[in-house]
């Protein structure tokens, strides 16, 4: 039951239907008109222009209730649409850290910068799963695993909302990333089991973290648009999970019901369906307000439903100081300040995954380095989507902010010897590719080693940018081949928005670093890691397949009983699995024990493991604990992540690491999708790289 208060109830009881409907409308300040007669009553704006913020607040203050609009913004990896603000690694990049504490701080810093710039609401985090690499928005996610997505999602929400400065928005509810064929905003083929087991836990974690809003997905489940799903929106999200914030649709979802999904005849019917399903606010649909007022007047939307939606919105506004301005807003000077940069530097360091190293790294004893490749000096590729280059308007020619560091400039800063740079080739094939390749070969001939910085860029990532074949685009693999024919060692850095197939790249590289868009300081961090000033600690939050056609390749699939998980023409499906990542340290595991052999269902137990840093480098390991129910009436994944921990260990030292597991987490959904935990054997696997595992067994008892 939603808990309200006297003040909010008093306001609601004095509001007209028109005032209520207006609170439920969000309009974009960058495009479109709106039909609301009294602009002061509009509930929310998104992408509010600097010059309009005070104006809209002023208009609101002159209205009967003086309720200010809530300004929403896609600050999804820092307040990155504002030039000057801190641009953090994207979610996929940050997820490589497996670091909840860092993720929470990133949220808190973003909130400070967002509020200092006059916005109150971030459309973040994305809790969709990235289980099909073809989908254009893989880079916006925390990867392919439910536990990781849930934990990092809850962490960033705690950070965003910690000081009461902004509301977070868990999106896109639900199954948006499961679109069939990875085709953005399309229907899904997920079953109730998959939705509940794989996707819902992250939203449950968000609700438990107090997330103030949720955004509806564009797509549909089993042909029912999420926007009209009373079951998913009201029964499951609000009633079952107990979500007490408000639901905003995604951009034009309501209109899309008429002209995209063809489930409503006109806007009034679409509005009625969306609001009755449980959406509380509509994003950017001209005519929504009129349609809603009319639907209420015609008795097709009840006043009770209207009140519930407005109550939810006002309770959030009250918390954010939009009813009585009781919030202490940070000074503008916090935007991009030194303290925030320091955190960003740490985030960039923890986000770079070392995939291969035949001894080429750390790079030492060289005098001349050729830095080659289209992403070596392209801050846009390093940023990813949703920055001042891409939103609110596409602005590819914006000049990068002064304090951003590309890989090339990072190497120049860190390396005292000579650096020769050549672009080498374009990401997207262009006429001058042949000429660029020849220049790159010349540069490489004169160098001791090549650092090749390849990948994709924002034209390959984001909404509408699904790919049938997510390989390294254009002639970049050919560039690597030609460079390798010179007999030089090649250290390859893959700067990309999403995971790309690296099968060819692997053949030509002595070392490979996967650098998902890692923000302002990605280049600085990469250089420090390459030269060994810092150590790698990141792990992949998503599996990298051997071939794009092997999709899906997420690690936690069911057992195969015919194919053993391969094809006759692709025996190995995954090159680098979820959880994989190397380091300059070697971590050795031994003595895996549990404090109990038999565990009563409902009790906790502790699994412990000795980890030795068997190297001369201090380092940080990411321990991953997986489990498997060995015999179950319902198919269970080969293993599922249940916990993870970052542990720093000095060179040569050992530590004993404990994982406390609640046996209630070791259950499954039975045939009728009811959660249960059965007695029987559970296998536990500890790993630091997703490829080698130390096992322990416990028995669950009634
Ligand atoms: C559409 C996107 O799907 C969503 O993630 C975003 O928050 C809204 N547009 C607002 O820009």
């Amino acid at each position: 039951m939603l808990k309200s208060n006297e003040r909010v109830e008093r306001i609601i009881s004095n509001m007209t239907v028109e005032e209520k409907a207006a609170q439920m409308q969000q309009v974009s300040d960058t495009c479109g008109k709106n039909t609301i007669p009294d602009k002061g009553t509009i509930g929310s704006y998104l992408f509010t222009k600097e010059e309009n913020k005070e104006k809209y607040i002023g208009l609101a203050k002159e209205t009967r209730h003086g309720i200010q609009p809530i300004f929403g913004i896609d600050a999804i990896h820092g307040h990155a649409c504002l030039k000057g603000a801190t641009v953090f690694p994207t979610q996929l990049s940050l997820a490589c850290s497996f670091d909840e504490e860092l993720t929470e701080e990133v949220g808190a810093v973003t909130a400070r910068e967002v509020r200092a710039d006059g916005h109150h609401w971030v459309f973040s985090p994305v809790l969709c799963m990235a289980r099909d690499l073809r989908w254009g928005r893989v880079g916006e996610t925390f990867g392919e695993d439910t536990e990781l997505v849930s934990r990092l999602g809850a962490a960033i929400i705690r950070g965003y909302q910690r000081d009461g400065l902004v509301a977070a928005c868990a999106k896109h509810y639900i199954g948006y990333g499961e679109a069939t064929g990875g085709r953005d905003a399309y229907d899904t083929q997920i079953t109730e089991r998959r939705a509940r087991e794989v996707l819902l836990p992250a939203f449950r974690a968000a609700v438990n973290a107090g997330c103030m809003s949720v955004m509806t997905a564009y797509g549909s489940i089993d042909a029912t648009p999420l926007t009209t799903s009373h079951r998913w929106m009201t029964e499951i999200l609000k009633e079952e999970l107990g979500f007490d914030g408000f639901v905003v649709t995604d951009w034009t979802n309501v209109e899309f019901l008429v002209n995209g999904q063809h489930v409503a005849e006109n806007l009034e019917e679409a509005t009625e369906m969306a609001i009755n399903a449980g959406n509380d606010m509509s994003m950017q649909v001209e005519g929504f307000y009129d349609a809603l007022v009319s639907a209420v007047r015609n008795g097709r939307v009840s006043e009770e439903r209207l009140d519930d939606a407005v109550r939810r919105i006002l309770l959030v506004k009250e918390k954010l100081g939009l009813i009585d301005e009781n919030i202490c807003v940070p000074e503008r000077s916090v935007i991009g300040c030194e303290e925030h940069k320091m955190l960003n530097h740490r985030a960039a360091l923890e986000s770079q995954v070392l995939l291969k190293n035949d001894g080429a790294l750390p790079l030492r004893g060289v005098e001349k380095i050729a830095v080659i490749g289209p992403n070596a000096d392209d801050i846009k590729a390093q940023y990813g989507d949703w920055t001042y280059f891409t939103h609110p308007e596409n602005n590819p020619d914006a000049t990068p902010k002064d304090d951003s560091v590309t890989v090339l400039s990072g190497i120049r800063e860190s390396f005292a010897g000579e650096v020769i740079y050549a672009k080498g080739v374009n990401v997207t094939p262009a006429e001058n590719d042949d000429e660029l390749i020849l220049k790159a070969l010349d540069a490489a001939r004169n160098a001791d080693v090549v650092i090749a910085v390849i990948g994709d860029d924002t034209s390959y990532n984001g909404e509408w940018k699904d790919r049938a074949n997510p390989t390294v685009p254009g002639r970049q693999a050919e560039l690597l081949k030609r460079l390798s024919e010179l007999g030089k060692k090649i250290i390859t850095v893959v700067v990309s928005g999403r995971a790309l197939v690296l099968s060819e790249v692997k053949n030509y590289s002595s070392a490979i670093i996967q650098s998902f868009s890692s923000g302002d300081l990605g280049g600085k961090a990469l250089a420090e890691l390459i030269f060994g000033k810092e150590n790698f600690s990141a792990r992949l939050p998503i599996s990298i397949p051997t071939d794009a056609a092997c999709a899906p390749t997420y690690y936690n699939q069911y057992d195969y009983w015919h194919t053993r998980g391969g094809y006759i023409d692709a025996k190995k499906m995954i090159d680098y699995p979820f959880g994989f990542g190397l380091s300059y340290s070697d971590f050795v595991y031994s003595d895996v024990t549990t404090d109990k052999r038999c565990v009563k269902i409902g009790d906790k137990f502790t699994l412990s493991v000795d980890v030795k840093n068997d190297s001369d480098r201090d380092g940080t390991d990411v321990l991953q604990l997986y489990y498997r129910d060995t015999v179950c009436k319902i198919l269970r994944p080969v293993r599922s992540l249940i916990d993870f921990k970052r542990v720093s260990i000095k060179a040569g030292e050992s530590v004993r690491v404990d994982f406390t597991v609640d046996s209630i987490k070791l259950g499954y959904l039975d045939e009728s999708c009811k959660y249960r935990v059965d007695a029987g054997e559970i296998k536990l696997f500890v790993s630091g790289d997703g490829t080698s595992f130390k096992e322990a067994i416990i028995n669950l008892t009634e």
Side-chain angles (χ1 to χ4, degrees):
M1 183 59 194
L2 190 63
K3 211 167 141 250
S4 189
N5 62 47
E6 214 180 295
R7 178 169 53 171
V8 165
E9 290 311 307
R10 197 174 342 108
I11 298 175
I12 293 175
S13 65
N14 279 317
M15 285 172 99
T16 62
V17 167
E18 285 76 6
E19 283 166 336
K20 291 176 190 169
Q23 279 300 320
M24 292 164 68
Q25 170 131 356
Q26 181 184 65
V27 296
S28 167
D29 199 27
T30 55
C31 64
K33 301 178 276 283
N34 62 74
T35 51
I36 299 175
D38 180 355
K39 288 212 171 120
T41 61
I42 290 180
S44 175
Y45 289 86
L46 73 152
F47 287 121
T48 316
K49 292 186 183 134
E50 185 50 39
E51 63 271 25
N52 289 337
K53 286 176 197 150
E54 283 310 314
K55 181 170 107 195
Y56 295 151
I57 292 171
L59 285 171
K61 283 186 178 165
E62 284 164 20
T63 62
R64 288 194 317 136
H65 306 291
I67 305 161
Q68 294 183 28
I70 177 166
F71 295 149
I73 182 92
D74 284 284
I76 70 167
H77 52 118
H79 186 23
C81 298
L82 175 76
K83 188 166 165 187
T86 308
V87 181
F88 283 109
T90 56
Q91 272 193 214
L92 190 64
S93 188
L94 189 60
C96 300
S97 69
F98 280 64
D99 190 335
E100 290 167 280
E101 186 259 330
L102 169 71
T103 303
E104 183 171 332
E105 290 314 309
V106 166
V109 162
T110 303
R112 240 173 269 148
E113 297 200 6
V114 162
R115 189 72 196 245
D117 187 36
H119 303 267
H120 325 107
W121 183 18
V122 293
F123 300 135
S124 175
V126 170
L127 299 180
C128 306
M129 247 21 114
R131 306 205 314 168
D132 189 331
L133 277 193
R134 294 172 294 184
W135 184 42
R137 303 186 71 176
V138 163
E140 292 178 47
T141 74
F142 283 125
E144 72 182 30
D145 179 75
T146 303
E147 179 72 12
L148 185 65
V149 172
S150 305
R151 298 254 296 263
L152 297 185
I156 206 161
I157 289 166
R158 286 196 299 273
Y160 285 142
Q161 299 189 165
R162 186 199 291 166
D163 303 318
L165 298 174
V166 304
C169 184
K171 68 186 189 183
H172 309 76
Y173 184 79
I174 189 174
Y176 178 29
E178 309 299 301
T180 306
R183 290 170 219 145
D184 197 29
Y186 196 42
D187 189 43
T188 58
Q189 290 170 351
I190 37 177
T191 57
E192 166 123 11
R193 170 180 311 281
R194 286 294 174 105
R196 284 186 171 276
E197 214 166 62
V198 178
L199 309 170
L200 198 61
F203 286 94
R204 181 179 286 116
V207 170
N208 292 344
C211 192
M212 294 193 218
S213 71
V214 165
M215 190 186 292
T216 316
Y218 278 131
S220 47
I221 287 189
D222 196 16
T224 299
L226 268 320
T227 317
T228 63
S229 176
H230 185 266
R231 176 160 163 65
W232 281 100
M233 216 60 77
T234 299
E235 290 163 41
I236 298 181
L237 177 68
K238 292 182 175 173
E239 291 169 9
E240 190 181 315
L241 302 191
F243 172 63
D244 61 4
F246 69 90
V247 177
V248 63
T249 72
D250 201 343
W251 184 271
T252 64
N253 274 23
V254 177
E255 210 172 292
F256 196 54
L257 296 174
V258 183
N259 55 27
Q261 293 171 314
H262 304 282
V263 296
E265 221 159 280
N266 50 44
L267 193 60
E268 187 169 325
E269 192 185 9
T271 300
E272 171 202 333
M273 287 165 85
I275 299 304
N276 287 339
N279 295 280
D280 303 305
M281 183 183 278
S282 160
M283 185 188 288
Q284 190 47 31
V285 173
E286 286 167 31
F288 168 82
Y289 164 86
D290 283 338
L292 180 56
V293 171
S294 152
V296 176
R297 297 273 179 244
N298 294 334
R300 293 164 69 162
V301 169
S302 67
E303 285 219 36
E304 203 187 347
R305 172 76 265 272
L306 205 66
D307 286 355
D308 174 56
V310 174
R311 180 175 297 117
R312 288 169 180 272
I313 294 166
L314 294 190
L315 285 169
V316 168
K317 288 192 171 185
E318 188 183 46
K319 284 191 195 130
L320 296 170
L322 299 177
I323 298 188
D324 54 11
E325 296 191 321
N326 54 355
I327 294 280
C328 179
V329 175
E331 295 290 327
R332 228 187 142 77
S333 57
V334 302
I335 297 174
C337 70
E338 271 316 304
E339 189 193 328
H340 295 182
K341 268 189 214 162
M342 274 162 63
L343 183 76
N344 199 13
H345 181 219
R346 178 179 151 207
L349 280 169
E350 289 190 22
S351 300
Q352 318 293 345
V353 192
L354 181 61
L355 296 181
K356 177 177 178 183
N357 187 14
D358 70 1
L361 294 178
L363 185 58
R364 295 210 170 110
V366 291
E367 282 167 15
K368 218 184 238 188
I369 300 176
V371 177
I372 291 172
N375 282 353
D377 202 23
D378 182 1
I379 196 69
K380 281 183 287 210
Q382 192 175 301
Y383 272 177
D385 206 6
W386 299 100
T387 71
Y388 56 90
F389 287 107
T390 58
H391 290 86
E393 273 113 29
N394 200 23
N395 193 7
D397 299 324
T399 42
K401 63 205 266 269
D402 295 342
D403 55 3
S404 56
V405 184
T406 63
V407 187
L408 178 65
S409 44
I411 289 173
R412 286 201 163 122
E413 259 173 41
S414 291
F415 181 61
E418 191 181 340
V419 177
I420 325 162
Y421 164 68
K423 183 171 178 187
V425 77
N426 295 287
V427 169
T428 301
E431 268 181 17
N432 63 347
D433 277 347
D434 284 317
E435 188 192 322
L436 291 175
I437 290 177
L438 291 178
K439 280 193 190 153
L441 293 175
D442 274 348
R445 251 179 227 112
N446 293 320
D448 301 325
V449 66
V450 173
I451 299 179
V453 192
I454 58 165
D456 65 14
D457 57 29
T458 47
S459 60
Y460 292 83
N461 291 293
E463 285 183 84
W464 316 86
K465 293 181 188 152
D466 314 317
R467 294 185 63 192
N469 200 351
T471 53
V472 177
R475 295 174 62 187
Q476 298 182 85
E478 179 194 334
L479 170 71
L480 287 188
K481 180 167 186 281
R482 308 250 322 246
L483 288 167
S484 74
E485 283 162 2
L486 298 177
K488 305 279 173 188
K489 259 195 193 276
I490 301 178
I491 294 158
T492 303
V493 182
V494 184
V495 173
S496 60
R498 72 173 99 188
L500 300 172
V501 174
L502 300 176
S503 312
E504 260 200 282
V505 167
K506 218 169 72 171
N507 294 337
Y508 310 124
S509 312
S510 299
I512 304 178
I513 302 167
Q514 173 63 59
S515 178
F516 296 119
S517 306
S518 54
D520 279 330
L521 301 179
K524 179 176 166 61
L526 276 160
E528 290 165 346
L529 289 159
I530 288 172
F531 296 112
K533 180 173 176 232
E534 300 282 349
N535 199 348
F536 289 91
S537 62
R539 300 291 186 273
L540 286 177
I542 188 166
S543 305
I544 300 185
T546 52
D547 190 311
C550 291
T553 48
Y554 52 86
Y555 79 95
N556 47 350
Q557 303 197 20
Y558 299 143
D559 265 323
Y560 293 93
W561 53 97
H562 267 196
T563 62
R564 293 273 156 239
Y567 296 87
I568 52 171
D569 49 357
K571 294 254 174 331
K572 188 179 169 211
M573 296 209 294
I574 297 178
D575 255 336
Y576 303 105
F578 173 86
F580 186 76
L582 304 170
S583 150
Y584 293 143
S585 312
D586 288 320
F587 299 105
V588 181
Y589 295 1
S590 60
D591 198 19
V592 181
T593 57
T594 54
D595 63 344
K596 295 174 191 154
R597 180 76 174 81
C598 291
V599 180
K600 198 164 169 306
I601 296 170
D603 284 356
K604 293 189 174 147
F605 65 95
T606 301
L607 177 139
S608 309
V609 54
D610 277 340
V611 189
K612 178 165 192 209
N613 179 350
D614 200 10
S615 74
D616 56 7
R617 283 289 309 245
D618 295 353
T620 300
D621 192 12
V622 177
L623 282 96
Q624 302 149 43
L625 180 65
Y626 299 87
Y627 83 101
R628 177 173 187 170
D629 187 346
T630 47
V631 181
C632 184
K633 302 258 170 332
I634 293 290
L635 301 188
R636 300 296 294 143
V638 286
R639 58 176 192 280
S640 310
L641 187 72
I642 193 169
D643 205 355
F644 55 87
K645 262 185 190 161
R646 283 176 64 89
V647 181
S648 297
I649 310 175
K650 294 251 175 258
E653 289 188 2
S654 292
V655 295
R656 188 132 182 98
V657 180
D658 294 333
F659 287 100
T660 299
V661 181
D662 188 341
S663 61
I664 288 295
K665 280 184 84 180
L666 303 174
Y668 65 100
L669 297 177
D670 69 10
E671 207 184 338
S672 49
C673 275
K674 293 267 173 320
Y675 188 76
R676 53 180 295 158
V677 190
D678 285 349
E681 185 182 88
I682 298 282
K683 264 195 184 154
L684 298 147
F685 312 87
V686 191
S687 179
D689 65 3
T691 62
S692 52
F693 302 93
K694 289 270 182 209
E695 289 182 26
I697 288 179
I698 55 135
N699 265 302
L700 290 181
T701 58
E702 299 284 351

